[in-house]
């Protein structure tokens, strides 16, 4: 993988981490502020958080492998 590709992957990892953090914040807000009344939101927000974290983890693993050479 070229240096440019590694830099692009690094940017992607940072973007995905931000998205995962935003989803985690939504989940936190639901738990802190709207449960138990907002229980219907739990599956959607939980799944979005899980999906975002999985996307970050996969990209981060590719970045770590690329950096090791």
């Amino acid at each position: 993988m070229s240096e440019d590709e590694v830099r692009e992957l690094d940017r992607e990892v940072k973007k995905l981490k931000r998205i995962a953090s935003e989803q985690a914040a939504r989940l936190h807000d639901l738990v802190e502020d709207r449960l138990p009344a907002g229980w219907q939101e739990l599956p959607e927000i939980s799944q979005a958080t899980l999906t975002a974290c999985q996307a970050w983890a996969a990209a981060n693993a590719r970045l770590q492998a690329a950096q090791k050479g």
Side-chain angles (χ1 to χ4, degrees), residues 7 19 23 26 34 38 43-47 56 58 62 66:
R7 278 194 295 270
I19 292 168
Q23 290 299 325
R26 286 183 64 212
R34 298 190 308 275
E44 177 189 342
I45 294 174
S46 297
Q47 184 59 54
W56 168 81
R62 288 193 312 273

Side-chain angles (χ1 to χ4, degrees), residues 38-57:
W39 67 270
Q40 298 93 340
E41 298 174 65
L42 195 54
E44 177 189 342
I45 294 174
S46 297
Q47 184 59 54
T49 303
L50 176 63
T51 300
C53 289
Q54 288 172 329
W56 168 81

Side-chain angles (χ1 to χ4, degrees), residues 2-18:
S2 72
E3 283 187 41
D4 288 340
E5 290 171 322
V6 171
R7 278 194 295 270
E8 180 61 32
L9 184 53
D10 184 54
R11 283 191 289 273
E12 181 70 14
V13 167
K14 289 176 182 175
K15 175 185 169 188
L16 291 170
K17 185 176 181 180
R18 179 186 50 78

